[in-house]
């Protein structure tokens, strides 16, 4: 397959076309002579091979971008050696843009571009071409790849993608100092022609700056550019392609250049002489005035340090620099006194702290000025002789004791008299008073060092002529110690004595405390009281080091026999005069384990042995209290339910008398009224007795028994009698509404003797004859003798309750 083009875009392409044609002509062979691609047959004919050798290969085309013509742009031509020009060969094209951007004439093989192409979007297209037999659709040539490149034209202007720019350069820079480099970009092809060849030029900013046409470096073009004269500059740079030729495209950008400051200006005072008025009452350390030097520079280049360079001014005044305001602050170092010196002269120097050696030829970067200070006369407050007074006084001193004196004077020339008084707002003023004229301080009451060892008061002084001017001075009064407190035994815990203690064993080492000062109370002596008998259980040994040992004197103690012991101890201090105090220690006997460890003591052992925590003990006690409350409530409810509605003091249920004898005759009836055993109403009102049958004749036994003349007994069935009494008791409304005991003295029928109960006797004296008792046998002999003796003595018969005799 042979590829050619109808036009050559450059001489190089022309040469290639020429060589192609020459090379193809040199290989043309007459038909009679078989070529390398032909085979001579026996009949004299030749056979052409299916893959004939190409004459040359051309695999690249060019198409111009941005083509705006009415017809499709011609790109190139495809041609195969097998094409005889008879139209039997069909050319096909596929690949990037085939059929849409690029079309091919199937017969001639001409390729054309139907659309305008942009090289900046796509620089080349890769396509594949093939020649086919139109009739058989067989491939006459294999697929061949070729490239169509889009040829660039100058259709893009240079651009500054990072603009506009901001740059700085120090002032007073030398000519040619680099400021900034700007770079423009061009989207055209930099390898073809001059479309992307850029040249830089300056449109605005001359004569101060220049630009390198090739590199775009901006440099200073004018010497000694002063920031103080002009600080900001605007420079416009242009970039033009086509190497700056006519017809090239261009773009521009702006650069804002600022001159940075350098220290090229010394500080200067606006004037050389200044005056300042300062009253003598000005406080030391406080500012009294300001002074300022000007510097046209900026930042650290304008920093100024001020100083006083003459000794007269430096001794009385100091100057500091306010960095923000760049001012010199003048302060007072010592108090002023108008009466001693009325004027001061200060030589003040202002100097830059950062100096640029390049400008040393300009001279020293500093300036000086003179400040004259005039001291003003002021009426001043009194001045105390010292700034702080410290005085002392012994404790317990009587009221009015002198503590000390303060002194103040009027510093003015008039020397006015001074009046003293105490600051009433302080608490210490109630302990002291001061003499207004002399300044002597005295106590108002005895002081106690142990209560307050130091007192702080403030004494004020004022002129008699001008009381508004006050001065203050602090006064500290120390209360000196006097040995006025006896020592005491220092013990915060109970002393424990083990039951297994041996004679001579140390029970406890005790110390003493004393409220007095070290000089009077830190040496102690110990002993037992002399006025009491010798303690048989314990003794005391003074260790002579302000401690003493309590020692056991006998073997073994028993807490069950005696648990607590009291041991009085006398302690002497080492003061003048020496004081003593007696302290009584309580010693508790406790069982101990080996090595003196306490095993149990009072209730603690039970709790500790049980291993119960405090929370568990509280829970147990709370449960017990709740149970007790429930039991009490239950008992209270039961009692309230059983309590009768009517309570009688003579209720027989509450008067039960038990006799443990065989009867005492008449004494029994005297000891207790048997009527109380009946219905309580019977004791108050003499009602009919329910323990006997009603007004009916009753038969009581054999004819030998004596009968009462007022009552005649008939034989009545006892069941009917009890039933009748039960009905009467139920119908009786005078008895209480609860069951009561009904007692009946009927002994039943069948007794030979009948009833001998005296309950049937209505009278107070018996009228019966008891001689018949002798006939009953020896069992009743003694009873008959007793009744017989009673009748003979005219005594009241005894009432004896006996069991019924069957």
């Amino acid at each position: 397959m042979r590829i050619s083009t109808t036009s050559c875009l450059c001489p190089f392409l022309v040469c290639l076309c020429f060589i192609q044609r020459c090379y193809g002509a040199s290989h043309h062979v007459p038909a009679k002579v078989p070529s390398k691609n032909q085979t001579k047959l026996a009949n004299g004919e030749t056979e052409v091979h299916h893959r004939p050798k190409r004459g040359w290969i051309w695999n690249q085309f060019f198409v111009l971008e941005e083509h705006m013509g009415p017809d499709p742009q011609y790109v190139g031509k495809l041609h195969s050696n097998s094409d005889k020009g008879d139209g039997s060969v069909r050319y096909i094209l596929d690949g990037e843009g085939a059929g849409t951007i690029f079309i091919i004439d199937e017969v001639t093989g001409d390729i054309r571009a139907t659309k305008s192409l942009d090289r900046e979007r796509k620089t080349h297209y890769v396509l594949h071409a093939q020649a086919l037999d139109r009739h058989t659709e067989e491939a006459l040539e294999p697929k061949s790849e070729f490239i169509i490149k889009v040829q660039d034209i100058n259709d893009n202007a240079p651009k500054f993608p990072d603009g506009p720019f901001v740059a700085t350069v120090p002032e007073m820079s030398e000519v040619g100092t680099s400021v900034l480099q700007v770079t423009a970009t061009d989207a055209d092809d930099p390898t073809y022609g001059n479309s992307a060849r850029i040249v830089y030029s300056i449109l605005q900013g001359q004569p101060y700056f220049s630009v390198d046409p090739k590199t775009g470096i901006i440099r200073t073009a004018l010497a000694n550019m002063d920031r103080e004269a002009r600080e900001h500059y605007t420079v416009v740079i242009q970039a033009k392609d086509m190497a700056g030729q006519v017809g090239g495209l261009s773009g521009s950008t702006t650069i804002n250049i600022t001159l940075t400051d350098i220290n090229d200006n010394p500080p200067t005072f606006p004037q050389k002489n200044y005056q300042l008025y300062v009253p003598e009452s000005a406080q030391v350390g406080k500012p009294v005035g300001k002074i300022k030097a000007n510097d046209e520079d900026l930042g650290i280049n304008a920093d100024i340090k001020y100083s006083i360079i003459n000794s007269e001014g430096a001794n009385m005044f100091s100057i500091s620099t306010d960095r923000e305001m760049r001012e010199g602050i003048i302060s007072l170092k010592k108090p002023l006194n108008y009466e001693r010196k009325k004027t001061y002269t200060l030589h003040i120097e202002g100097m830059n702290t950062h100096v640029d050696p390049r400008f040393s030829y300009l001279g020293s970067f500093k300036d000086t000025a003179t400040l004259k200070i005039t001291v003003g006369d002021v009426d001043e407050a009194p001045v105390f002789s010292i700034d702080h007074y410290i005085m002392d006084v012994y404790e317990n001193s009587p009221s009015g004791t002198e503590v000390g004196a303060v002194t103040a004077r009027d510093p003015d020339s008039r020397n006015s008299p001074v009046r003293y008084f105490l600051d009433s707002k302080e608490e210490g003023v109630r302990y002291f008073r001061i003499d207004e004229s002399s300044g002597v301080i005295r106590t108002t009451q005895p002081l106690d060092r142990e209560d307050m060892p130091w007192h702080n008061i403030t004494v004020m002084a004022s002129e008699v002529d001008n009381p508004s001017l006050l001065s203050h001075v602090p006064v500290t009064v120390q209360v000196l110690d006097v040995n006025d407190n006896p020592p005491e035994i220092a013990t915060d815990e109970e002393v424990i004595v083990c039951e297994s203690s041996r004679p001579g064993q140390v029970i406890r080492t005790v110390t003493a405390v004393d409220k007095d000062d070290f000089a009077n109370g830190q040496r102690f002596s110990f002993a037992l009281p002399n006025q009491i008998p010798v303690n048989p259980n314990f003794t005391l040994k003074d260790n002579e080091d302000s401690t003493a040992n309590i020692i056991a004197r006998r073997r073994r103690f028993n807490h069950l026999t005696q648990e607590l012991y009291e041991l009085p101890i006398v302690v002497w201090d080492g003061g003048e005069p020496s004081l003593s105090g007696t302290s009584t220690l309580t010693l508790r006997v406790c069982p101990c384990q080996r090595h003196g460890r306490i095993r149990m003591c009072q209730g603690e052992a039970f709790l500790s042995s049980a291993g119960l925590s405090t929370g568990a003990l509280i829970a147990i006690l709370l449960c017990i209290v709740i149970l007790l409350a429930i039991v009490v409530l239950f008992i209270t409810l039961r009692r309230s339910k059983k309590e009768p509605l009517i309570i009688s003091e003579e209720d027989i249920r509450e008067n039960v008398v038990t006799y443990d004898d065989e009867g005492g005759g008449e004494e029994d009836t005297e000891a207790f009224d048997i009527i109380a055993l009946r219905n309580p109403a019977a004791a108050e009102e003499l009602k009919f007795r329910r323990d006997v049958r009603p007004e009916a004749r009753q038969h009581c036994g054999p004819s030998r028994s004596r009968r009462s003349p007022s009552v005649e007994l008939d034989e009545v069935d006892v069941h009917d009698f009890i039933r009748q009494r039960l009905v009467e008791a139920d119908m009786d409304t005078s008895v209480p509404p609860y069951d009561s005991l009904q007692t009946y003295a009927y002994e039943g029928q069948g007794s030979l003797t009948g009833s001998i109960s005296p309950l049937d006797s209505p009278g107070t004296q018996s009228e019966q004859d008891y001689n018949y008792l002798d006939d009953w046998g020896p069992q009743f002999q003694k009873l008959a003798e007793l009744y017989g003796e009673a009748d003979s003595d005219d005594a009241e018969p005894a009432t004896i309750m006996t069991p019924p005799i069957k």
Side-chain angles (χ1 to χ4, degrees):
M1 181 171 62
R2 186 173 57 190
I3 306 171
S4 65
T5 181
T6 58
S7 63
C8 296
L9 301 177
C10 62
F12 179 72
L13 297 179
V14 174
C15 293
L16 289 177
C17 293
F18 178 77
I19 293 173
Q20 174 194 7
R21 289 187 177 90
C22 293
Y23 181 77
S26 63
H27 283 73
H28 182 71
V29 181
K32 295 181 180 180
V33 180
S35 65
K36 295 181 181 180
N37 295 330
Q38 295 177 351
T39 302
K40 186 175 181 179
L41 302 178
N43 56 5
E45 295 181 357
T46 59
E47 181 182 2
V48 180
H49 293 169
H50 292 286
R51 297 183 63 186
K53 182 178 179 180
R54 297 186 179 95
W56 51 273
I57 298 175
W58 178 249
N59 61 354
Q60 184 167 300
F61 292 107
F62 292 91
V63 59
L64 197 64
E65 71 169 333
E66 304 292 346
H67 177 71
M68 304 300 293
D71 300 326
Q73 183 181 0
Y74 182 77
V75 178
K77 184 180 182 65
L78 297 179
H79 185 74
S80 174
N81 292 336
S82 302
D83 189 358
K84 304 301 182 179
D86 54 0
S88 62
V89 178
R90 183 169 69 90
Y91 298 95
I92 62 175
L93 187 69
D94 63 359
E96 295 179 342
T100 56
I101 300 176
F102 303 102
I103 59 175
I104 187 169
D105 190 325
E106 294 183 349
V107 177
T108 63
D110 293 334
I111 302 174
R112 287 179 172 82
T114 62
K115 295 181 180 181
S116 177
L117 303 180
D118 189 357
R119 189 200 68 85
E120 286 72 37
R121 292 186 177 180
K122 191 171 180 62
T123 59
H124 66 278
Y125 296 85
V126 178
L127 294 96
H128 299 85
Q130 193 174 18
L132 303 176
D133 190 303
R134 184 178 297 277
H135 303 291
T136 63
E137 293 296 327
E138 294 182 358
L140 302 177
E141 297 285 346
K143 276 190 177 183
S144 178
E145 180 181 285
F146 66 95
I147 297 174
I148 299 178
K149 287 190 175 182
V150 181
Q151 188 174 1
D152 182 56
I153 64 172
N154 190 19
D155 59 342
N156 292 279
K159 295 181 180 179
F160 293 91
D162 299 329
F165 301 90
V166 176
T168 59
V169 64
E171 64 173 330
M172 309 298 290
S173 296
E174 298 179 357
V175 176
T177 301
S178 176
V179 179
L180 180 69
Q181 182 178 10
V182 294
T183 302
T185 59
D186 197 318
D188 294 325
D189 189 359
T191 63
Y192 177 75
N194 295 326
S195 298
R197 186 179 177 185
I198 299 174
V199 175
Y200 300 95
S201 62
I202 184 169
L203 299 181
Q204 179 182 340
Q206 295 174 333
Y208 306 103
F209 299 96
S210 63
V211 64
D212 190 296
K214 295 182 178 180
T215 62
I217 298 176
I218 302 172
R219 304 178 185 274
T220 57
L222 187 65
N224 300 326
M225 287 191 294
D226 192 1
R227 184 199 65 80
E228 288 74 27
R230 182 178 177 182
E231 184 176 3
H232 301 287
Y233 296 86
T234 300
V235 178
V236 178
I237 301 296
Q238 183 189 60
K240 189 174 184 180
D241 59 10
M242 299 297 293
Q245 299 177 5
V246 178
L249 303 178
S250 63
S252 62
T253 187
T254 302
I255 301 97
N256 295 315
I257 301 176
T258 302
L259 298 181
T260 58
D261 183 67
I262 61 174
N263 191 8
D264 59 341
N265 295 281
T268 57
F269 287 99
Q271 58 191 59
K272 292 299 182 182
N273 296 291
Y274 296 88
Q275 290 186 352
L276 180 64
Y277 173 83
V278 180
E280 63 173 338
S281 59
Q283 297 182 11
V284 175
K286 298 294 183 179
V288 295
K290 299 178 182 180
I291 192 171
K292 183 177 182 180
N294 298 326
D295 194 324
E296 296 180 354
D297 295 324
L298 299 175
I300 61 174
N301 297 319
D303 287 346
I304 302 174
K305 180 182 179 181
Y306 297 93
S307 58
I308 301 175
I309 58 179
N310 66 319
S311 59
E312 178 186 356
N315 291 333
M316 291 296 297
F317 298 91
S318 63
I319 189 169
S320 60
T321 303
D322 185 349
R323 294 186 178 275
E324 183 177 357
M325 303 301 297
R326 294 186 173 89
E327 295 176 336
I329 309 300
I330 302 171
S331 302
L332 191 61
K333 293 176 63 176
K334 298 179 181 179
L336 297 175
N337 193 331
Y338 173 81
E339 288 73 24
R340 293 183 180 180
K341 191 173 180 60
K342 296 178 175 58
T343 59
Y344 292 90
T345 301
L346 279 67
H347 297 292
I348 299 175
E349 180 185 73
M351 181 177 61
N352 282 141
T353 57
H354 299 81
V355 180
D356 194 336
R358 294 179 299 174
F359 303 99
S360 58
Y361 65 90
L362 297 177
S364 60
F365 281 72
K366 58 184 178 181
D367 195 13
T368 58
T370 301
L371 175 63
K372 184 177 182 181
I373 297 178
T374 301
V375 180
D377 186 18
V378 177
D379 190 6
E380 301 173 81
V383 179
F384 286 94
S385 57
I386 58 177
D387 296 333
H388 187 193
Y389 290 88
I390 298 178
M391 306 175 183
D392 54 59
V393 62
Y394 280 99
E395 66 175 328
N396 302 329
S397 298
S399 177
T401 301
E402 181 177 346
V403 178
V406 297
T407 303
R409 65 175 182 84
D410 183 10
D412 298 325
S413 57
R414 295 179 302 172
N415 196 15
S416 301
V418 177
R419 183 175 64 91
Y420 305 95
F421 54 95
L422 299 178
D423 189 354
S424 59
K425 298 179 181 178
E426 296 181 341
E427 183 180 358
V429 71
R430 62 191 181 96
Y431 298 103
F432 305 95
R433 57 185 174 85
I434 188 170
D435 188 275
E436 292 186 358
S437 354
S438 63
V440 175
I441 300 175
R442 302 179 183 275
T443 61
T444 60
Q445 57 182 302
L447 304 179
D448 188 0
R449 189 202 68 85
E450 288 72 32
D451 183 31
M452 186 179 296
W454 295 88
H455 294 270
N456 295 314
I457 58 176
T458 300
V459 177
M460 296 183 291
S462 65
E463 296 180 11
V464 176
D465 299 336
N466 189 1
S468 61
L469 294 177
L470 296 175
S471 58
H472 305 74
V473 65
V475 178
T476 301
V477 180
Q478 180 184 7
V479 182
L480 302 178
D481 184 53
V482 174
N483 192 17
D484 58 345
N485 291 279
E488 298 176 353
I489 295 296
T491 176
D492 297 332
E493 299 178 357
E494 193 174 36
V495 179
I496 302 300
V497 180
C498 292
E499 290 184 337
S500 59
S501 299
R502 301 182 305 275
Q505 181 178 346
V506 177
I507 303 300
R508 171 70 71 88
T509 300
V510 296
T511 59
V513 293
D514 196 327
K515 296 181 180 179
D516 292 323
D517 200 1
F518 294 159
N520 291 323
Q522 295 305 308
R523 178 69 180 174
F524 302 107
S525 301
F526 302 85
L528 296 177
N530 295 327
Q531 63 273 16
I532 62 176
V534 177
N535 194 318
N537 301 310
F538 306 97
T539 185
L540 189 70
K541 178 184 177 183
D542 191 348
N543 298 325
E544 297 182 357
D545 60 352
S546 296
T547 64
N549 291 338
I550 300 175
I551 302 174
R553 299 191 64 178
R554 68 183 181 87
R555 182 182 300 275
R556 293 193 176 276
F557 295 84
N558 191 336
H559 75 286
L560 298 177
T561 305
Q562 183 173 351
E563 183 181 6
L564 300 178
Y565 293 88
E566 291 185 351
L567 181 65
I569 300 176
V570 182
V571 188
W572 289 270
D573 60 19
E576 292 294 338
S578 178
L579 296 180
S580 64
T582 302
S583 300
T584 301
L585 297 183
T586 301
L587 289 72
R588 181 180 296 277
V589 178
C590 293
C592 299
Q593 298 177 354
R594 298 185 61 184
H595 308 294
R597 184 179 299 175
I598 300 175
R599 185 178 63 188
M600 58 178 295
C601 203
Q602 289 185 342
E604 298 176 356
F606 174 77
L607 299 179
S608 60
S609 62
L612 297 178
S613 62
T614 304
L617 292 176
I618 294 175
I620 291 173
L621 293 177
L622 183 61
C623 293
I624 293 174
V625 171
I626 294 175
L627 290 176
L628 290 177
I630 293 174
V631 171
V632 172
L633 180 61
F634 180 77
I635 293 174
T636 304
L637 292 176
R638 292 200 60 181
R639 287 185 177 180
S640 63
K641 290 181 179 180
K642 290 184 176 182
E643 185 177 359
L645 298 178
I646 300 177
I647 300 177
S648 176
E649 297 180 357
E650 299 184 5
D651 194 344
I652 59 173
R653 294 173 300 167
E654 298 180 0
N655 296 273
V656 179
V657 181
T658 302
Y659 297 92
D660 194 15
D661 55 8
E662 298 179 355
E666 297 290 330
E667 296 178 357
D668 290 342
T669 58
E670 295 178 357
F672 184 80
D673 190 1
I674 200 64
I675 300 177
L677 295 177
R678 308 296 181 266
N679 190 356
E684 301 175 3
E685 300 178 4
L686 295 176
K687 295 183 178 181
F688 60 89
R689 295 182 53 178
R690 298 186 179 182
D691 57 335
V692 295
R693 286 181 290 183
E695 305 265 340
R697 298 182 62 90
Q698 191 176 24
H699 183 72
C700 287
S703 57
R704 289 179 297 177
S705 60
R706 296 187 60 182
R707 302 182 182 180
S708 174
S710 59
V711 179
E712 293 181 1
L713 299 178
D714 298 329
E715 291 184 4
V716 179
D717 189 275
V718 69
H719 297 288
D720 297 335
F721 172 75
I722 293 176
R723 190 179 300 110
Q724 180 182 359
R725 288 293 181 263
L726 180 60
V727 173
E728 293 178 358
D730 291 338
M731 300 301 295
D732 192 355
T733 58
S734 63
V735 298
Y738 49 77
D739 296 339
S740 59
L741 178 64
Q742 301 293 331
T743 304
Y744 301 96
Y746 182 73
E747 298 179 0
Q749 295 178 349
S751 177
L752 298 178
T753 60
S755 176
I756 62 172
S757 173
L759 298 178
D760 291 335
S761 304
T764 59
Q765 295 185 358
S766 178
E767 298 179 356
Q768 298 184 12
D769 185 7
Y770 296 99
N771 295 326
Y772 65 90
L773 293 176
D774 295 335
D775 301 333
W776 290 358
Q779 298 93 330
F780 297 91
Q781 185 178 0
K782 183 63 176 176
L783 183 61
E785 293 177 356
L786 291 175
Y787 278 93
E789 293 177 357
D791 291 338
S792 61
D793 296 337
D794 296 331
E796 185 178 349
T799 302
I800 300 176
M801 297 186 64
T802 60
I805 300 172
K806 300 296 185 179

